[in-house]
Amino acid sequence: MRTIFSILFLLGCLQLTLAQTYTISGTIRNATTGQAAPEAEVLLVNNGSITKADAKGNYLIKNLPAGTYTLTAYSIGLGSQTQQVTISGANATVQFELKPLEGKLREVNVKGEREKTFGITRLNSVEGTAIYEGKKSEVVVLNDITANKATNNSRQVFAKVAGLNIWESDGAGLQLGIGGRGLSPNRTSNFNTRQNGYDISADALGYPESYYTPPTEALDRIEVVRGAASLQYGTQFGGMINFVMKEGPEDKPFELTSRQTVGSWGFLNTFNSIGGTKGKLHYYGFYQYKRGDGWRENAGFDAHTAFGSVHYKPNSRLELGFDYTYMDYVAQQPGGLTDAAFNQDARQSLRDRNWFKVKWNLLALTMDYRLSDRTKINVRNFGLLAQRDALGYMGKINRLDDTMQPRTLLQDQFRNFGNETRLIHRYDLGKTFSTLLVGARYYRGFTDQQQGDGSTGSEADFRFYSETGAPNVSDYDYLSRNAALFAENIFNITPKFSVTPGIRYEWINTNADGSYRDVKADQAGNIIYDAVIPEARENTRNVLLLGVGLSYKPSEQMEVYGNLSQNYRAINFNDMRIVNPNQLVDQNLQDETGYNADLGIRGNISGLLNYDASLFYLAYDNRIGISNKVINSQIFLLRTNRDFSRNIGLETFVEADLLKLYLGREHPSSLSAFSNITLVNTKYVSDNKAYDGNRVELAPALIAKTGLSFKRNNFKLAYQYAYTSSQYTDAENTGKEKGQMDITAVVGKIPAYWVMDLSGSYTYKRFTLESGINNLTDNRYFTRRATGYPGPGIIPSDARNYYVTLQFKL
């Protein structure tokens, strides 16, 4: 701990001593008269700060480190103008000439070099129609990352995002499983997952699991905002993850990118995209196909993904957009292993009849309209038509699959739509300015869930095989509705200090309507009771969340930030009646409540140094998890509410370009080193002695990643080491005592593990060759004990594997 703080302190001192500051100055004039523009202002887009010009139209922005900046000038009765300037070794001058607002004014867009990153940066105070002032945020810049993008290797992609616990149970990258700060990684359900700003999960409220993950090859960046995002994006404890797709180039009508990848175990991936700008139309689209046999037996997959986006901009104020996403994949699931089987041979498979199928249709219609130079409105309409099917034997992994018995088939169909409308307005308040965001959201999620007998065969046959050809275990319709109003406002108390309070009101209504089969047997296994029970449930609640963020920026290179925001998670009905021999569900689950708090310091010198260190506190009441329950002398796993838990932690990240720091900015090569260390202390506080004082499940005490990246001209090479300490999977901390073990492997300890990755790329003209080795030392480890699909039991992570990608761009 002392070493970490020492490194951060020395880097902070190094920043202050090495980072020379510069100024940007100039005049703002009326282009027609040549006179000074009245009451003119300049917005520094990089951080949202405003500088007012004097009566002669002169302005001056001080204390800027070297880098690239975007400035927008405004004046009463005149149009706006945007210019970009790069500061490198000298002060800069930018002159503005604003045209009168007569007729149609074409917006001036001057493109410059993008800010240099190491593959990670953070969100500005205001971006589009969203406020991030005082919030913990990270942005993964995919173009600056050297990694196995064909398989969405999340260990590499999210390497520089502090504190993420990643489930590595899907070597193809079909589903993403990440959690942070002691929250479950299960299908990223503790985050509000979005694509281009709209929801992509199965049902954002009633079933917030993500079965669709955008291909990394198609992404421009990934935005991650921690728990304080609850006020703008929904009440989830984890925060928000937004996958931002690439866009076609604005300077040519057509561009083609083709990427072909081969890898271990028959892996094949082809990714092809087109994009461009023609007149007022801007478009981008891709198609991806990938298949593979998987490292383990019975682990093959076949996946198709496509995306199309068209944006129309009839004038400088209005932009309309339409997105469509399609995904269809089938994957065989080799099932879980017991601890003994994993230690004997982690590659083996004890299931050959288990399959998983997902079909996703995601649509979005968006509008961006600039009411004035100070006011913008954004409207997002989105919908989902999707289905996921899980087929197989769900019995305990220490029992053989009886191939004479029918498999269990579970089908979910999702029909969702929603609207989110935001308005952001910048206004003067005293001698400073403020920024107000107001928004409204309506969401309707509908899930049709059925469970029953499947076929006795081993093929991917997703049909019910009961006597009536219909589901014979349960059949339910789940309706969830949500309306929300939210607002945040940045009050700039001084040019360096701001306070951002926020509020969110939620109306939540969840319903269940259907029937389930209730079967009872005697000790000899004879059926003594068999009936179909109708059931209807409804739950309505009104939730008010409050929060506040603080930001102090002594310079453009450093910020001290803090926030406190309430969180809330409504229970959903749609897993209560699923029959799973490995787990029972408490039929009286209660909603979860709590809050997140952050206090940190961060800074950046473009292309040289980037750091962020923060303390967090996560309070979680009525936390839902797995506990042991004895029924008729038998021990069952029960998913139920427990009492209060608290997570306290330190998240640190630092990266520096060693060559440029010591040899100067103009050095032709780059050698960056990063360190990402998270320490977490978790604890249950409860009257139940079975888990009072125990560690919270799925919360490693230490997550550490470090790596080196070398770049020279068109050659890149990246090395990464990742370590995750041991963690428990249940509140009783099964495995805490020596020799303690669950023979079904559904709960227990996940031992500490470490992994190394090596990737490189070289570009020659229109061609790029990428290659690498994942799990360089061929370690055997696992990150997940599954209670149901794709287990039950231990899900081993992939052994050492390679990939080779050839890209052509036209």
Side-chain angles (χ1 to χ4, degrees), residues 664-738:
R665 284 179 175 272
E666 304 306 320
H667 194 279
S669 300
S670 169
L671 178 64
S672 64
F674 82 89
S675 172
N676 179 350
I677 299 175
T678 298
L679 303 172
V680 183
N681 179 277
T682 64
K683 181 181 179 181
Y684 275 109
V685 180
S686 172
D687 294 332
N688 190 330
K689 295 182 179 180
Y691 50 84
D692 179 49
N694 284 0
R695 286 169 51 183
V696 173
E697 63 270 31
L698 302 174
L702 172 63
I703 300 176
K705 299 182 180 70
T706 186
L708 291 170
S709 297
F710 176 78
K711 299 179 183 180
R712 183 176 179 88
N713 298 326
N714 296 325
F715 176 72
K716 299 178 182 179
L717 186 65
Y719 163 83
Q720 176 187 309
Y721 170 88
Y723 172 84
T724 301
S725 66
S726 63
Q727 53 191 298
Y728 298 103
T729 57
D730 64 335
E732 279 79 9
N733 289 183
T734 302
K736 177 172 58 177
E737 299 178 9
K738 187 175 181 180

Side-chain angles (χ1 to χ4, degrees), residues 155 168 265 295-296 337 339 341-348 724 750-756 774-784 794-801:
R155 186 176 62 246
E168 300 175 20
W265 317 306
W295 172 53
R296 301 172 64 198
L337 298 175
D339 290 79
F342 173 81
N343 293 329
Q344 178 191 49
D345 179 10
R347 194 174 188 180
Q348 66 180 302
T724 301
I750 298 177
Y753 62 92
W754 57 270
V755 196
M756 292 192 294
N774 296 124
N775 192 359
L776 191 62
T777 53
D778 199 24
N779 291 0
R780 296 293 182 270
Y781 66 101
F782 65 93
T783 64
R784 181 180 182 185
I794 291 172
I795 310 298
S797 298
D798 280 358
R800 178 169 54 214
N801 59 93

Side-chain angles (χ1 to χ4, degrees), residues 40 308 354 569 773 806:
N354 292 8
R569 191 176 186 190
I773 302 175
L806 179 63

Side-chain angles (χ1 to χ4, degrees), residues 360-374:
W360 227 249
N361 292 277
L362 183 65
L363 303 95
L365 181 63
T366 63
M367 182 192 77
D368 287 278
Y369 185 68
R370 195 179 68 201
L371 297 171
S372 70
D373 291 333
R374 295 186 174 214

